[in-house]
Amino acid sequence: MKRRDFLQKTLLASGALALPAHSILDFIPNKRPEKVIVIGAGFSGLAAAHSLRKAGVQVTVLESRSRIGGRVFSHKPVKGSDLVIEFGAEWVGNSHERILSLCKEFGLSLFNNQFETHLSYEGEYSPAGKWDYSPEMTSFWDKRRESWGTFSDKDKEKIDQMDWWRFLSQKGFSDRDLDIRDLLDSTDFGECIRQTSAFVAYAEYAESSDKDEMDQKIRGGNGQLAEKLADAIGREFIHLSHTVGKVEQTKKGVRVLTTDNKEFIADQLICTVPTYSLMKIDWQPGLPKDKVEALLSLQYARIGKYPVIFSERFWKQEDFDMITDSPAHYFYHATKNQTSSSGILTSYATGDKGALMASQKAEKRLDIILDALKPAFGDVRKYVTDQTMYYWGKDKYSYGAYANYGPGQWFSLMPVLHKAFGPIHFAGEHLADWQGFMEGAINSGEEAAEAVLS
């Protein structure tokens, strides 16, 4: 059973996909709401609003930021250049059916964004294809899909109780194996694998492509899809710089007040914002105790992106990326398949490393990055023309890049967070089968819209 199917089964068993839990106002949902408010103009909110608009429902989207896209954040770092990098979500997977379908619908092209990973470990550099794990780890990894297929539902719930590092360490792999898996896998989950549920990790690697869905990118930037969705919804229905301060349930639906005292009325509401922003809203009546406790328990990954602009692409290969055991953590060619003599390598650091890099002054951060590149390329300081950064750990709307389910949390928190409350439905990447992917955000938003319409 695929993780997505397993998620649906789990939510059905918990009642999270049943009718919304009644509030003290004993809300009974209408079969066909006329007006729906969507909080958040990230991919989940835009996908929800797009689905509702196609169904003929009047939609109002309220977004705190001054831009659409949320944690999809395309950026042009070089003035006068068309080079585009991603401060936020980076990859479209080959199996991401909905995002691929939407790109086709809106006429957006994609290009290959796969990489061949080099390694810098304990001061030694190994090119792609010239390093490997122990034979034991290699055998386990090659058979991971086959092994995953033997797991029962109870087995999956059991391994959710332990972290991914503990699960691997119990198999007797070498310290080097565990170190490299931590360096690689923490780029996927945003924190050390000692903080990630073994179920979440194993499910992802057993069911994704060999590149872990790091396959494609939208030409011109992933934010292009947000722009197309906004156009389809109607820009006049999307209100930027509108922070929701209060949501009241009424006998007829919901009343929303923004922090600048603007009022919006609707039959139902879909909240797609990250848990930090969700907790800042005054919900009347208050959210159920178990939902509040779940919201407080779920952590978000501390990820920082620290791109450096170089006058020459000294790394030569377009598909260059490299994992390192330095604070700079992981490098990838952020301007792959974009024509220019200059190029950009992004240092992508997670967890404590991401926080450490963000805390440095620009000069010191550049020193750390250049030192991490030395084992592979020597001193490349002469090629540096500029640098920039974005640290999601201190983004004032999310305080993290995406949700990171820790040991014991997937089966306990997910159903509670997913459950509707009266006329209020919830969506977002934190409620998707995989966290951190644009596909998951889109799936979650569309599923919430479907629940509203059912």
Side-chain angles (χ1 to χ4, degrees):
M1 182 185 295
K2 293 288 187 180
R3 183 180 179 189
R4 183 164 177 73
D5 297 329
F6 190 45
L7 171 62
Q8 298 300 310
K9 178 181 176 182
T10 301
L11 294 175
L12 281 170
S14 69
L17 294 183
L19 290 175
H22 288 182
S23 71
I24 57 174
L25 296 171
D26 198 32
F27 168 78
I28 300 176
N30 295 319
K31 289 186 177 181
R32 187 73 172 186
E34 294 181 1
K35 298 180 181 179
V36 175
I37 293 170
V38 177
I39 304 178
F43 268 34
S44 185
L46 293 173
H50 181 238
S51 293
L52 292 170
R53 283 282 289 161
K54 287 197 297 184
V57 176
Q58 183 177 328
V59 176
T60 300
V61 181
L62 303 176
E63 168 59 50
S64 289
R65 299 180 193 270
S66 59
R67 61 174 179 84
I68 60 172
R71 283 163 285 165
V72 177
F73 188 6
S74 301
H75 176 65
K76 292 185 176 181
V78 182
K79 188 175 181 180
S81 170
D82 289 331
L83 292 178
V84 178
I85 63 172
E86 304 296 339
F87 275 146
E90 189 85 34
W91 281 279
V92 175
N94 285 337
S95 70
H96 292 174
E97 296 178 0
R98 281 304 297 140
I99 194 168
L100 292 173
S101 176
L102 286 169
C103 285
K104 183 177 180 179
E105 177 183 340
F106 293 125
L108 296 173
S109 63
L110 298 98
F111 60 80
N112 180 284
N113 204 36
Q114 295 176 336
F115 295 91
E116 296 299 325
T117 304
H118 301 233
L119 174 68
S120 180
Y121 177 71
E122 294 185 344
E124 295 186 6
Y125 163 68
S126 300
K130 300 297 183 182
W131 64 273
D132 208 341
Y133 306 102
S134 68
E136 293 78 17
M137 173 61 86
T138 299
S139 176
F140 166 76
W141 205 248
D142 289 345
K143 296 177 181 177
R144 66 190 184 280
R145 295 185 178 91
E146 178 183 344
S147 298
W148 182 245
T150 68
F151 278 56
S152 67
D153 290 358
K154 287 186 177 181
D155 291 333
K156 293 174 182 178
E157 292 182 23
K158 182 177 180 180
I159 67 168
D160 182 50
Q161 299 302 313
M162 71 178 77
D163 64 72
W164 185 224
W165 183 91
R166 181 69 64 185
F167 179 88
L168 295 174
S169 70
Q170 292 298 301
K171 294 185 175 298
F173 298 130
S174 69
D175 287 344
R176 180 179 181 278
D177 285 334
L178 295 172
D179 285 349
I180 295 175
R181 281 256 55 98
D182 189 18
L183 292 171
L184 285 167
D185 299 353
S186 58
T187 67
D188 293 323
F189 304 111
E191 295 286 344
C192 172
I193 61 174
R194 293 173 185 258
Q195 296 171 250
T196 300
S197 156
F199 166 77
V200 169
Y202 204 155
E204 176 160 333
Y205 295 130
E207 297 179 3
S208 63
S209 67
D210 287 338
K211 295 293 184 182
D212 190 32
E213 307 303 333
M214 296 166 64
D215 297 314
Q216 302 185 61
K217 182 178 175 179
I218 299 173
R219 192 170 299 280
N222 294 328
Q224 293 293 308
L225 181 54
E227 300 297 331
K228 294 292 187 180
L229 284 167
D231 289 340
I233 294 164
R235 300 275 179 163
E236 66 272 26
F237 302 117
I238 302 174
H239 303 272
L240 302 178
S241 302
H242 278 59
T243 300
V244 172
K246 187 175 186 178
V247 175
E248 295 179 348
Q249 294 188 34
T250 69
K251 291 182 179 180
K252 293 184 178 180
V254 292
R255 174 175 177 262
V256 175
L257 290 176
T258 62
T259 53
D260 57 350
N261 294 317
K262 293 181 180 177
E263 180 185 75
F264 299 87
I265 304 293
D267 304 309
Q268 296 191 48
L269 178 146
I270 299 175
C271 180
T272 71
V273 299
T275 58
Y276 178 83
S277 289
L278 193 156
M279 290 292 291
K280 301 285 283 185
I281 297 171
D282 178 13
W283 299 93
Q284 295 295 331
L287 297 174
K289 181 181 178 182
D290 61 344
K291 188 178 287 290
V292 172
E293 291 175 348
L295 289 166
L296 292 172
S297 297
L298 183 63
Q299 298 297 312
Y300 276 56
R302 296 167 296 164
I303 294 176
K305 288 191 172 185
Y306 309 99
V308 178
I309 304 158
F310 295 98
S311 60
E312 295 183 19
R313 301 185 181 192
F314 56 81
W315 51 93
K316 305 301 181 185
Q317 298 116 311
E318 282 290 294
D319 62 358
F320 171 80
D321 74 350
M322 181 170 69
I323 199 73
T324 81
D325 56 1
S326 77
H329 196 167
Y330 169 59
F331 291 94
Y332 65 92
H333 180 194
T335 48
K336 180 183 177 183
N337 293 327
Q338 298 182 54
T339 304
S340 176
S341 58
S342 62
I344 299 171
L345 289 181
T346 290
S347 162
Y348 176 105
T350 68
D352 291 340
K353 294 176 182 178
L356 183 149
M357 292 287 284
S359 70
Q360 305 302 308
K361 291 184 178 180
E363 298 83 359
K364 177 61 175 176
R365 184 165 52 249
L366 181 60
D367 288 342
I368 293 171
I369 289 171
L370 296 179
D371 283 344
L373 292 170
K374 280 183 178 178
F377 304 108
D379 188 354
V380 296
R381 186 178 294 272
K382 65 182 179 180
Y383 300 116
V384 175
T385 62
D386 203 356
Q387 63 173 315
T388 184
M389 65 164 286
Y390 200 90
Y391 177 53
W392 288 98
K394 288 188 177 178
D395 177 87
K396 67 178 183 178
Y397 303 104
S398 64
Y399 278 87
Y402 45 77
N404 177 46
Y405 280 84
Q409 291 191 327
W410 179 265
F411 294 97
S412 61
L413 300 188
M414 173 69 80
V416 176
L417 292 171
H418 204 285
K419 188 172 292 186
F421 180 51
I424 300 163
H425 301 257
F426 300 92
E429 61 79 22
H430 62 291
L431 298 179
D433 48 345
W434 289 352
Q435 283 61 64
F437 282 110
M438 294 176 282
E439 176 80 356
I442 290 170
N443 290 155
S444 180
E446 291 180 339
E447 288 164 2
E450 184 179 346
V452 166
L453 294 169
S454 63

